[in-house]
Amino acid sequence: YQNAEYSKIQEKLDGKEIQIQAIVVSNVESKKYKDMYIIKIKGDKNLNNKKVYLSISKKNSKNLIYGDSVQVTGIFNKPSSRTNYKAFDYGEYLRTKGIYGILEAEDIEKEADEKLNFRDLCWQIF
């Protein structure tokens, strides 16, 4: 069932532009030309509580921290699968982490800081 859900969402959104609200649920993973975050989508009926990788180019980086609420517009990409027999399968790796895909951010806005207590923050993230 879980694999069917991943495939359904990935096929439906692959290569399409989407606009979402989300909460950052990881620290930054800095690469040479981009910053990567794991975000949990909120407010979308089909994607609510789904996790995706958020990829932001260094020139557009917003210095996000764990728990930040963001509004993102970007292109959703399905993770690549294995190309050779017995090779590493990046899509399967992300699936084991509960991540549905990669969102290449075109526009990102950090929402106003809300005063949340720890319990409220945990409730939104988990």
Side-chain angles (χ1 to χ4, degrees), residues 13-20 33-37 39 52-58 60 72-79 90 101-108:
L13 297 177
D14 190 31
K16 293 196 169 70
E17 183 176 86
I18 60 172
Q19 183 175 9
I20 58 164
Y33 297 108
K34 61 186 173 183
D35 290 334
M36 302 284 288
Y37 298 90
I39 58 172
V52 297
Y53 257 130
L54 174 63
S55 176
I56 307 171
S57 68
K58 288 281 190 183
N60 294 332
V72 182
T73 302
I75 304 294
F76 182 91
N77 293 310
K78 179 172 80 169
Y90 187 60
I102 302 163
L103 184 60
E104 300 285 338
E106 294 175 344
D107 182 42
I108 183 166

Side-chain angles (χ1 to χ4, degrees), residues 7 13-14 19 21 27-28 31 37 51 67 72-74 84 86 117 124:
S7 296
L13 297 177
D14 190 31
Q19 183 175 9
Q21 287 186 313
N27 293 320
V28 66
K31 307 282 185 185
Y37 298 90
K51 291 190 283 185
V72 182
T73 302
N84 294 327
K86 291 192 177 183
N117 63 31
Q124 285 185 2

Side-chain angles (χ1 to χ4, degrees), residues 76-123:
F76 182 91
N77 293 310
K78 179 172 80 169
S80 60
S81 59
R82 96 179 72 190
T83 54
N84 294 327
Y85 177 68
K86 291 192 177 183
F88 178 73
D89 188 339
Y90 187 60
E92 188 64 34
Y93 168 73
L94 290 183
R95 192 173 291 164
T96 63
K97 295 179 83 172
I99 298 172
Y100 283 76
I102 302 163
L103 184 60
E104 300 285 338
E106 294 175 344
D107 182 42
I108 183 166
E109 293 182 28
K110 186 175 171 182
E111 294 180 0
D113 290 335
E114 300 173 5
K115 297 293 182 189
L116 294 175
N117 63 31
F118 183 72
R119 181 184 297 165
D120 290 341
L121 182 61
C122 288
W123 181 256

Side-chain angles (χ1 to χ4, degrees), residues 25-80:
V25 294
S26 74
N27 293 320
V28 66
E29 185 180 321
S30 192
K31 307 282 185 185
K32 188 172 184 177
Y33 297 108
K34 61 186 173 183
D35 290 334
M36 302 284 288
Y37 298 90
I38 298 174
I39 58 172
K40 187 176 257 190
I41 299 170
K42 63 177 184 176
D44 185 285
K45 67 177 184 174
N46 296 323
L47 299 173
N48 197 34
N49 291 324
K50 306 286 191 257
K51 291 190 283 185
V52 297
Y53 257 130
L54 174 63
S55 176
I56 307 171
S57 68
K58 288 281 190 183
K59 65 180 180 177
N60 294 332
S61 187
K62 299 287 187 185
N63 296 323
L64 302 174
I65 60 172
Y66 195 97
D68 280 348
S69 184
V70 293
Q71 175 112 15
V72 182
T73 302
I75 304 294
F76 182 91
N77 293 310
K78 179 172 80 169
S80 60

